[in-house]
Amino acid sequence: MPNFTDVTEFILLGLTSRQEFQVLFFVIFLVVYMITLLGNIGMIILISTSPQLQSPMYFFLSHLSFVDVWFSSNVTPKMLENLLSETKTISYVGCLVQCYFFIALVHVEVYILAVMAFDRYMAICNPLLYGSRMSRTVCVRLISVPYVYGFSVSLICTLWTYGLYFCGNFEINHFYCADPPLIKIACGGVHIKEYTMIVIAGINFTYSLSVVLISYTLIVVAVLRMHSADGRKKAFSTCGSHLTAVTMFYGTLIFMYLRRPTEESVEQGKMVAVFYTTVIPMLNPMIYSLRNKDVKEAVNKAIAKANVGQ
């Protein structure tokens, strides 16, 4: 029988064991984190204060920015602390809390991306009914579902993580508490956690991605039927930013969570995790602002208003 051990804390091995890179990584990720906070909080404030951005698309975008702030904040501060610390530990309770919020926010984000795809479908394929079908009440209901569902599913998944047993190896080969590296070092309760992780991730990624793919298939059909070249260009431009965000987020998550945890997959997943926990939340505001005429105009008006106020 395995000799199970009571665990009070884990050691996070982080991105690298080489001391000469610790300070460099700290500076890089601190800058990325600050840009993420400023970009996403700025986007939320801009959308809430700009009259020209009071549409369902920007309402959903503000929630995407809100989730990105918490998504990055769930991981980055502890990572920054451990980069300058000799102990590099996280408590058992802190690990479970980090797992809970990570899984919850991942599910919230994938379904917000699905809701945004549905919104683009309604705007392009049913423009005359868009105002009535996507009323404020409908938008609030649509955005509430990802939050309720995401945090509920995460509670179940975290309880299965709580069911893992450990036999003395408390070194997590990662820079935050994630299911694959925890499964890799556990010696009990592994099989049910491993299979439920893959099944739940597979179901949710497949369902949410199906909504995105069906929405965009119908959008492409509708756009190709348009006689106006300007109309086609405008329709595709409003979808380009969202498709970029979807491709980056789903691609990295599928690479990490739809494979069985092995030494190789955990090591590769650690590199990929840097991308979706720090880089993507930083890039999302840039993707949606650099390619969006309305956002650019709102930014220019906000800057002009600030200059007048001075």
Side-chain angles (χ1 to χ4, degrees):
M1 291 293 291
N3 184 19
F4 298 139
T5 308
D6 289 334
V7 55
T8 58
E9 64 180 16
F10 293 103
I11 298 171
L12 293 169
L13 297 182
L15 291 171
T16 179
S17 59
R18 299 181 63 175
Q19 292 296 322
E20 61 268 28
F21 290 142
Q22 302 289 330
V23 175
L24 175 62
F25 282 161
F26 176 85
V27 173
I28 291 173
F29 288 114
L30 178 62
V31 171
V32 170
Y33 183 53
M34 296 307 297
I35 294 173
T36 300
L37 292 182
L38 291 173
N40 283 288
I41 293 174
M43 181 67 77
I44 294 170
I45 294 172
L46 184 69
I47 291 172
S48 63
T49 57
S50 300
Q52 66 266 44
L53 301 182
Q54 302 304 306
S55 68
M57 180 174 73
Y58 298 110
F59 172 75
F60 297 133
L61 178 56
S62 68
H63 280 273
L64 182 66
S65 292
F66 176 77
V67 172
D68 277 339
V69 168
W70 289 105
F71 192 61
S72 182
S73 297
N74 183 47
V75 172
T76 308
K78 188 62 181 179
M79 178 178 67
L80 292 173
E81 177 190 332
N82 285 342
L83 282 170
L84 298 183
S85 172
E86 293 185 3
T87 55
K88 304 184 188 304
T89 59
I90 184 170
S91 68
Y92 179 70
V93 173
C95 185
L96 289 180
V97 169
Q98 196 173 62
C99 281
Y100 172 72
F101 280 104
F102 181 84
I103 296 169
L105 293 169
V106 164
H107 282 89
V108 173
E109 181 139 347
V110 295
Y111 281 107
I112 287 179
L113 290 171
V115 168
M116 292 175 75
F118 175 73
D119 171 69
R120 290 299 81 209
Y121 157 73
M122 291 297 297
I124 294 171
C125 299
N126 298 282
L128 298 179
L129 300 175
Y130 181 66
S132 59
R133 294 282 179 85
M134 297 297 289
S135 64
R136 186 72 177 184
T137 302
V138 171
C139 290
V140 170
R141 289 174 180 173
L142 283 173
I143 205 63
S144 298
V145 172
Y147 286 103
V148 174
Y149 179 77
F151 281 91
S152 300
V153 167
S154 182
L155 180 59
I156 298 171
C157 294
T158 306
L159 289 174
W160 278 319
T161 304
Y162 180 73
L164 293 174
Y165 295 96
F166 302 90
C167 301
N169 180 13
F170 303 140
E171 292 185 341
I172 300 175
N173 186 19
H174 220 293
F175 57 91
Y176 69 92
C177 282
D179 281 343
L182 278 172
I183 291 171
K184 194 71 186 67
I185 66 172
C187 57
V190 171
H191 295 297
I192 185 171
K193 176 60 184 176
E194 182 179 320
Y195 289 116
T196 52
M197 180 191 75
I198 294 173
V199 169
I200 289 177
I203 290 173
N204 286 290
F205 291 167
T206 300
Y207 183 73
S208 57
L209 190 56
S210 296
V211 174
V212 173
L213 293 176
I214 292 171
S215 296
Y216 275 104
T217 299
L218 296 173
I219 286 171
V220 169
V221 171
V223 169
L224 292 177
R225 290 176 178 173
M226 292 181 180
H227 300 293
S228 169
D230 290 336
R232 288 195 295 269
K233 183 178 179 181
K234 184 178 180 181
F236 280 127
S237 67
T238 61
C239 299
S241 300
H242 181 251
L243 279 174
T244 303
V246 167
T247 302
M248 292 193 304
F249 196 71
Y250 276 89
T252 52
L253 285 175
I254 289 172
F255 182 84
M256 182 168 181
Y257 281 95
L258 294 185
R259 301 187 300 167
R260 293 191 63 183
T262 62
E263 286 290 347
E264 183 182 6
S265 69
V266 167
E267 193 65 35
Q268 292 172 346
K270 186 165 61 172
M271 297 299 105
V272 173
V274 172
F275 195 69
Y276 66 73
T277 58
T278 60
V279 178
I280 291 179
M282 177 189 69
L283 291 178
N284 275 343
M286 300 179 188
I287 292 170
Y288 281 98
S289 59
L290 293 176
R291 300 187 60 179
N292 192 295
K293 183 180 177 181
D294 292 335
V295 173
K296 288 180 182 178
E297 290 179 357
V299 170
N300 291 333
K301 287 182 180 180
I303 293 172
K305 187 176 180 180
N307 290 333
V308 171
Q310 292 177 353

